[in-house]
Amino acid sequence: MPFDALRSSSSPAVYVGASPEAPGSNAPIGIFDSGLGGLSVLRAVRAALPDERLIYAADSLYAPYGERDDDFIADRTLAICEWLVSQGAKALVVACNTATSQSIAQARERLAVPVIGVEPGIKPAAITSQTRVVGVLATAVTLRSARFQALAERHTGDCRFILQPGHGLVQAVERCDTDSPELVALLRSYVQPMLDANADTLVLGCTHYPFLDEAIRSIAGDRLTLVDTSIAIARQLERQLDSFGLRAMPAQTHDQVQDQTQAQAIELPRFYSTNDGKALRQLAASLLGLDVAVEHVVIPSRRALGLESDPV
Ligand code: DGL
């Protein structure tokens, strides 16, 4: 399938220097989140697709998205996706439930590369819950989105979902706080009512939340099965790459790879952040064991470029 840098003829490419050539199978995959949460998806993608080159963009300057208005989220999502395409990405993962719930249709409409989104694991939770009571922790924007409402309606059946906005949790992870007493107390205020209602399953409906799994365990013990969809997202990405013939060759067979040092360089993701990137570097090192430099990047929003009335 031929890929143009951007599909929409009515929408000029924002970034000068975007490659006019279609990205090939050895081009990188772009992964994006409002901040650090998408690292939980990057971790699953690296495990499932070790030969793929990855670029991760954290929009931490503007996190959290979960309490922003819809236009703001769509504006940032499109700007970052377009930037990733300008960096040569052959496929994109919008590793943010909030951005997916508001903007995935627009991103797919505008971009000529496969765009994979994420959504809360309502379906697996509804299938596996024994008590038929399921807690759902997600951002306020995700929970009120039409996309989420339709998903929940499709799978409710005899299952009761307890919807809880996770106010304050994204901010905690962005500070690299995954276990402070204040955070555990906040989490307890969200999780205890679910336990009291006999929930046996908790959907982690935001990619930041898997980094809070130990804190949740300290509250709920093994009473709650945690549903994190990052492995399913990695599988979906794999299927999409296969269907478009975009899977990378195994690193050892790349012509240009002469030795292990170069092979290593191909395997390490490139990290970018719209803020100073310190927290991204810290969390990647402590939770993923990846000690990689983070580059600061300025990605103006479409509004700032005067393109806000551009139809999407
Ligand atoms: N990781 C994002 C998500 O999955 C967090 C959204 C936010 O920035 O509030 O929804």
Side-chain angles (χ1 to χ4, degrees):
M1 172 179 174
F3 291 112
D4 301 313
L6 295 174
R7 178 183 287 157
S8 169
S9 56
S10 64
S11 310
V14 175
Y15 293 94
V16 179
S19 166
E21 289 163 25
S25 60
N26 283 327
I29 295 163
I31 301 178
F32 144 66
D33 181 38
S34 61
L36 313 188
L39 289 176
S40 62
V41 176
L42 178 135
R43 176 171 57 186
V45 169
R46 285 191 89 221
L49 299 164
D51 297 316
E52 297 292 342
R53 296 164 56 212
L54 305 176
I55 304 180
Y56 185 87
D59 198 16
S60 291
L61 186 63
Y62 296 101
Y65 283 4
E67 289 159 40
R68 303 271 194 176
D69 68 58
D70 298 357
D71 286 348
F72 183 93
I73 296 165
D75 199 42
R76 293 305 302 161
T77 301
L78 292 172
I80 304 228
C81 286
E82 288 180 349
W83 180 80
L84 285 166
V85 170
S86 80
Q87 299 302 298
K90 65 183 176 185
L92 300 178
V93 181
V94 178
C96 176
N97 290 268
T98 308
T100 300
S101 69
Q102 288 302 333
S103 316
I104 193 85
Q106 289 162 310
R108 287 188 175 134
E109 167 74 17
R110 185 179 293 277
L111 300 164
V113 298
V115 181
I116 289 94
V118 301
E119 64 185 13
I122 291 292
K123 183 177 175 185
I127 290 170
T128 54
S129 170
Q130 298 293 311
T131 62
R132 312 310 291 150
V133 183
V134 170
V136 183
L137 202 51
T139 69
V141 168
T142 298
L143 293 177
R144 71 164 157 74
S145 69
R147 196 179 167 89
F148 175 80
Q149 304 271 333
L151 177 72
E153 263 167 44
R154 267 202 308 283
H155 298 291
T156 297
D158 65 341
C159 214
R160 180 178 154 223
F161 294 114
I162 302 173
L163 308 184
Q164 175 61 58
H167 299 297
L169 299 181
V170 168
Q171 291 92 326
V173 175
E174 290 290 310
R175 292 192 302 270
C176 295
D177 175 4
T178 56
D179 58 3
S180 71
E182 296 75 22
L183 171 67
V184 173
L186 182 63
L187 266 173
R188 188 182 300 281
S189 72
Y190 299 151
V191 169
Q192 192 60 51
M194 298 174 183
L195 293 170
D196 294 344
N198 203 28
D200 65 350
T201 306
L202 174 60
V203 175
L204 302 179
C206 167
T207 53
H208 282 71
Y209 300 166
F211 293 125
L212 303 177
D213 58 349
E214 281 183 23
I216 296 170
R217 288 260 158 265
S218 75
I219 297 161
D222 58 6
R223 286 184 60 195
L224 289 174
T225 300
L226 304 184
V227 178
D228 163 18
T229 53
S230 53
I231 291 170
I233 295 155
R235 285 206 201 101
Q236 172 65 3
L237 172 63
E238 190 174 358
R239 281 192 291 273
Q240 290 277 314
L241 294 177
D242 282 341
S243 72
F244 288 106
L246 285 173
R247 274 288 279 280
M249 303 271 287
Q252 302 90 299
T253 65
H254 290 172
D255 289 340
Q256 67 273 34
V257 173
Q258 302 295 328
D259 58 32
Q260 196 54 33
T261 317
Q262 281 171 287
Q264 277 278 313
I266 283 176
E267 287 168 16
L268 288 177
R270 279 156 53 201
F271 287 127
Y272 295 88
S273 176
T274 54
N275 76 0
D276 64 21
K278 284 184 189 152
L280 176 57
R281 183 165 193 172
Q282 189 180 329
L283 206 65
S286 64
L287 294 176
L288 272 59
L290 278 174
D291 191 10
V292 180
V294 177
E295 281 184 52
H296 173 65
V297 62
V298 176
I299 303 178
S301 68
R302 301 179 63 79
R303 284 178 190 177
L305 292 166
L307 298 172
E308 74 273 30
S309 58
D310 197 17
V312 289

